[in-house]
Amino acid sequence: MASATSSTVDPAAGGGIHLPDTARDLVKILVTGPFGVGKTTLIGSVSEIRPLHTEEQLTEASAQVDDLAGVRDKSTTTVAIDFGRISLPGGIVLYLFGTPGQERFRSLWDDIAHGALGALVLVDARRIDASFDVLGLVEESGLPYAVTFNTFPDAPRHHTREQLRAALDLEPTTPMVTCDAREADSSIDSLLALVQHLIDRPAEHR
């Protein structure tokens, strides 16, 4: 896989449902994180095809088991997967699989993660502890991953990068970036950080 920058990526480059003729490396990527962190939004912002969403309305019953702290305005939730696709320069095509963020959907994890080469983990700085379970799943799976903080308007700004990395107990080599999941270029930069991490890994770990 070759490296790329967001300035060379056009989310609409696919032009339809068919793969571009330049497609060479087809890569499955997980987009994961806790409930309400912006996974569906990120996939929708970058996908060159019409993204698949399996969202349902939150109900009074689900409110009893889903922690709505920090996401009180959220009215829907992913109940299976989100799916999108983006083509990068060099013939790399990313298939993006968004996972549900709640513990009650944990049984889906192994099926969704099967065949993935890496994971992009979205984190909400307002509720960092909500990311611990998902990070644990990613690490247990052995998938290489990158972390991106989705920049919500009311997210705290006083934490240093070192404090955030320490709070998540990240390895020094794990990429940690920020994004606005609503903006394609910003989201693509996060995906590129993961792709570059996959490229840079020693051959014996790929």
Side-chain angles (χ1 to χ4, degrees):
M1 295 188 296
S3 60
T5 61
S6 60
S7 61
T8 63
V9 180
D10 179 1
I17 63 172
H18 301 292
L19 280 173
D21 294 336
T22 56
R24 187 186 68 200
D25 295 315
L26 310 182
V27 181
K28 180 179 180 179
I29 296 294
L30 295 189
V31 178
T32 190
F35 174 61
V37 77
K39 303 178 294 291
T40 299
T41 300
L42 184 144
I43 290 174
S45 75
V46 302
S47 183
E48 65 195 15
I49 60 173
R50 182 177 180 179
L52 167 68
H53 298 308
T54 55
E55 290 207 314
E56 295 293 342
Q57 290 291 318
L58 288 170
T59 64
E60 290 185 10
S62 67
Q64 303 303 312
V65 293
D66 294 332
D67 184 3
L68 298 180
V71 288
R72 290 291 175 184
D73 293 335
K74 187 168 175 60
S75 60
T76 61
T77 184
T78 298
V79 296
I81 62 168
D82 293 317
F83 175 76
R85 189 188 78 201
I86 180 171
S87 300
L88 305 179
I92 301 171
V93 178
L94 303 184
Y95 288 99
L96 306 175
F97 287 76
T99 70
Q102 298 99 307
E103 176 67 21
R104 60 194 171 97
F105 294 115
R106 183 168 183 163
S107 60
L108 294 173
W109 174 266
D110 288 341
D111 290 336
I112 298 174
H114 182 72
L117 291 190
L120 181 66
V121 182
L122 273 72
V123 176
D124 183 346
R126 302 171 301 178
R127 46 193 186 99
I128 290 177
D129 57 345
S131 300
F132 294 161
D133 286 344
V134 173
L135 283 168
L137 279 174
V138 175
E139 291 177 351
E140 288 173 18
S141 73
L143 286 175
Y145 65 95
V147 167
T148 185
F149 281 84
N150 192 10
T151 53
F152 291 93
D154 57 341
R157 310 290 179 182
H158 58 277
H159 298 307
T160 66
R161 289 182 59 84
E162 291 74 17
Q163 289 172 327
L164 293 172
R165 184 175 287 277
L168 294 173
D169 194 24
L170 299 180
E171 294 288 338
T173 56
T174 301
M176 191 184 75
V177 295
T178 61
C179 77
D180 183 335
R182 300 167 298 180
E183 298 181 1
D185 283 349
S186 181
S187 298
I188 289 169
D189 282 341
S190 292
L191 289 167
L192 289 174
L194 172 60
V195 170
Q196 194 63 53
H197 182 49
L198 298 178
I199 293 170
D200 292 343
R201 296 180 78 223
E204 63 267 24
H205 295 304
R206 293 179 189 171

